[in-house]
């Protein structure tokens, strides 16, 4: 399956996906392109180093729809079937979502539906939760809202800071995203209403 990855920054989840594809941990797949909406995204160099084509598509004062249309064209031109958002900091337009029905995934650093939006780890830490985690979900037009693929719960230690908690969550994000993509690529699942049901473990 051809995968396209969208990033805006550091790109550590993107690296985890690329390496899992290249090692065969995510089977029968290829990362066809990594697209960033930010010229300065550190992840771009990391993708190039791993032999993956990269492209910068900034918004350049265009509407969300115009910007997304260019990204969709680049993805479709390369035969991309599965789109992974990996620290991509923009909400997708409905046209983008409709161009890849149930084939766009995102990772979010909290147990959704708690702590949507920016700085989810800090939001959870400041709220004082004892357990937080990360979520891989399909993407729809609402922020951090689509059907949940997998979640991982992580305990907040008394000694944690917002930073140490973020680092702990990030390690689990990489493993969770790879596990979720492996299952999606293998295709043994159904989406029943909002529920992603695996038909094989
Ligand atoms: C991750 O915490 C991810 O959950 C969130 O944005 C961050 C991106 O980090 N959506 P990276 O660019 O993958 O290192």
């Amino acid at each position: 399956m051809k995968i396209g990855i969208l990033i805006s920054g550091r790109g550590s989840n993107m690296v985890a996906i690329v390496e899992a594809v290249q090692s065969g941990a995510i089977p029968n797949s290829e990362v066809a392109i990594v697209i960033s909406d930010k010229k300065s995204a550190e992840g771009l160099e990391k993708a190039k180093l791993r032999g993956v084509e990269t492209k910068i598509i900034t918004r350049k004062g265009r509407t969300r729809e115009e910007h997304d249309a260019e990204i969709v064209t680049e993805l479709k031109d390369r035969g991309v079937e599965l789109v992974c958002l990996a620290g991509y900091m923009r909400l997708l337009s409905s046209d983008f979502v409709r161009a890849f029905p149930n084939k766009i995934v995102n990772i979010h650093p909290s147990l959704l539906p708690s702590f949507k939006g920016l700085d989810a780890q800090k939001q959870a830490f400041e709220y004082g939760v004892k357990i937080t985690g990360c979520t891989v979900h399909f993407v729809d037009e609402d922020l951090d809202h689509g059907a949940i693929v997998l979640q991982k719960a992580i305990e907040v230690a008394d000694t944690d800071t917002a930073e140490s908690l973020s680092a702990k969550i990030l390690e689990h994000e990489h493993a969770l995203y790879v596990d979720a993509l492996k299952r999606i690529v293998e295709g043994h699942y159904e989406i029943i209403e909002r529920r992603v049901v695996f038909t094989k473990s």
Side-chain angles (χ1 to χ4, degrees):
M1 187 177 283
K2 288 206 177 176
I3 297 175
I5 307 178
L6 269 52
I7 63 170
S8 297
R10 181 176 56 185
S12 70
N13 279 286
M14 176 276 297
V15 166
I17 297 166
V18 168
E19 290 184 346
V21 166
Q22 291 179 343
S23 73
I26 299 174
N28 309 319
S29 298
E30 182 198 332
V31 179
I33 189 164
V34 168
I35 296 176
S36 172
D37 66 324
K38 295 265 181 301
K39 283 197 187 98
S40 59
E42 293 163 54
L44 287 166
E45 208 45 47
K46 298 177 188 170
K48 280 186 207 154
L49 277 173
R50 287 164 178 81
V52 179
E53 184 192 350
T54 60
K55 196 159 182 90
I56 300 164
I57 306 181
T58 57
R59 185 158 167 190
K60 285 188 263 177
R62 297 176 293 178
T63 64
R64 183 184 308 281
E65 285 68 26
E66 288 162 346
H67 182 224
D68 280 4
E70 186 180 347
I71 297 174
V72 168
T73 301
E74 295 294 340
L75 294 168
K76 294 279 186 192
D77 280 355
R78 286 163 185 80
V80 167
E81 294 162 275
L82 180 66
V83 181
C84 301
L85 308 186
Y88 185 64
M89 302 303 283
R90 309 188 63 82
L91 200 59
L92 304 189
S93 61
S94 357
D95 287 349
F96 194 147
V97 173
R98 275 192 243 119
F100 295 94
N102 289 328
K103 284 289 186 297
I104 309 175
V105 267
N106 181 41
I107 183 135
H108 183 75
S110 76
L111 290 178
L112 289 173
S114 294
F115 309 118
K116 294 180 178 181
L118 289 178
D119 293 326
Q121 309 94 322
K122 189 161 170 261
Q123 290 183 51
F125 182 78
E126 287 177 355
Y127 195 93
V129 297
K130 300 291 184 189
I131 295 174
T132 182
C134 44
T135 303
V136 177
H137 64 94
F138 286 109
V139 171
D140 63 14
E141 288 152 48
D142 298 319
L143 180 69
D144 300 327
H145 175 267
I148 290 172
V149 182
L150 289 178
Q151 291 189 297
K152 172 76 187 173
I154 295 157
E155 277 188 38
V156 183
D158 292 342
T159 49
D160 267 328
T161 59
E163 291 70 31
S164 69
L165 182 61
S166 300
K168 206 152 67 173
I169 295 172
L170 189 65
E171 268 181 47
H172 289 282
E173 287 184 38
H174 299 158
L176 194 76
Y177 214 167
V178 168
D179 190 7
L181 293 178
K182 179 175 175 294
R183 290 164 186 253
I184 291 169
V185 164
E186 286 173 339
H188 305 302
Y189 67 97
E190 284 174 67
I191 306 176
I192 304 168
E193 313 224 334
R194 288 191 48 86
R195 192 165 297 278
V196 178
V197 179
F198 292 100
T199 47
K200 227 182 187 184
S201 58

